[in-house]
Amino acid sequence: VPGVLGQVLVPAISEQFGRKDTGRLSAIYVNSARYLMALAFPLAAGGAALARPLIIAMFGEPYEEVILPTQILFLGSAVFATSFSTTGIIMGTNRPGFLLVKSLFVVPASIGLALALIPRYGVIGAAVSHTLGLLFFPVTVWYVSTRFKVGWPMGDTVRIALASLGMAACVFLLTHYLQALWILPVAILLGIGVYLSLLLILRVPQTQDWEILLSLQNRYGLTRNLA
């Protein structure tokens, strides 16, 4: 889901870069980061919280060993999806050289970590080594921030993370104490409701976000279609 949004960033950023509209360029970067986090963080947190009951329900108890690697990969996917915002602005402004330089460090480190961890820890070591490159994400944020003089939305990052963790805690406790197959769809629906409520409580949505929703409603008649 975040990948769909991430794929449209490069042409949108390229357009503003060609127009030399730095204000609009910065706005796209910050807002895309917020929206990607709002999508990726709850998916990752919820996936990690529901990994055990989902795997047991789908594949059975013999597959318990893949629960922890799945949780690691879920959490890593949140950073990966969010990185579409930084990658989009780097590629959209014709600066791919930074990504090449970063790969010169990330790839050898990832291979070395895999060779060290996989023989000893198996699939868990493979999951950890796979997510190593995501640790360099702050370096990419620093590069974009210094190059374009625009800061990362740290406040929204903290609030979205708290909302995601709160949602994950609720669904984890529910599935932990009510271990039944029917509880999974209930937990997912509950998680969505808790997450959206926490976003409102923590005041994550801004005026521009409501304006976008109103614009979509007017353009596609969402209220009329639902009715």
Side-chain angles (χ1 to χ4, degrees):
V1 174
V4 175
L5 175 59
Q7 289 175 3
V8 304
L9 287 178
V10 173
I13 290 172
S14 297
E15 179 183 3
Q16 304 308 320
F17 179 66
R19 294 178 176 178
K20 298 182 180 181
D21 189 344
T22 56
R24 183 60 179 165
L25 190 68
S26 299
I28 292 177
Y29 169 62
V30 173
N31 288 328
S32 65
R34 293 177 59 246
Y35 297 150
L36 286 169
M37 288 188 293
L39 290 169
F41 282 15
L43 288 172
L50 294 174
R52 175 177 291 276
L54 282 173
I55 289 174
I56 296 301
M58 295 176 65
F59 305 110
E61 294 185 0
Y63 284 83
E64 282 186 330
E65 293 185 1
V66 304
I67 293 174
L68 181 56
T70 301
Q71 292 171 329
I72 294 173
L73 293 175
F74 260 122
L75 297 177
S77 69
V79 181
F80 175 75
T82 305
S83 68
F84 281 123
S85 58
T86 54
T87 304
I89 197 168
I90 290 173
M91 298 298 293
T93 56
N94 197 27
R95 290 182 173 88
F98 172 79
L99 299 178
L100 175 61
V101 173
K102 187 179 75 169
S103 298
L104 295 177
F105 293 93
V106 173
V107 173
S110 181
I111 294 175
L113 192 62
L115 294 175
L117 295 181
I118 292 176
R120 184 172 182 178
Y121 299 104
V123 68
I124 296 177
V128 172
S129 63
H130 178 73
T131 59
L132 173 68
L134 303 177
L135 299 178
F136 288 81
F137 179 65
V139 178
T140 309
V141 172
W142 168 83
Y143 173 81
V144 172
S145 298
T146 55
R147 175 67 65 176
F148 299 97
K149 308 301 181 184
V150 56
W152 182 264
M154 288 301 302
D156 284 325
T157 301
V158 174
R159 288 188 286 268
I160 293 172
L162 288 175
S164 301
L165 290 175
M167 174 272 295
C170 290
V171 299
F172 173 79
L173 292 174
L174 182 63
T175 56
H176 179 74
Y177 289 104
L178 298 175
Q179 299 182 6
L181 185 61
W182 60 268
I183 205 64
L184 286 175
V186 175
I188 293 173
L189 292 175
L190 173 66
I192 294 173
V194 169
Y195 175 66
L196 295 177
S197 299
L198 289 175
L199 287 182
L200 294 175
I201 293 172
L202 296 173
R203 298 182 179 180
V204 174
Q206 300 177 4
T207 302
Q208 60 189 9
D209 304 323
W210 296 117
E211 291 176 350
I212 292 174
L213 289 176
L214 181 61
S215 174
L216 291 174
Q217 175 181 321
N218 294 334
R219 180 179 301 179
Y220 298 108
L222 297 181
T223 304
R224 181 175 64 255
N225 291 338
L226 290 176

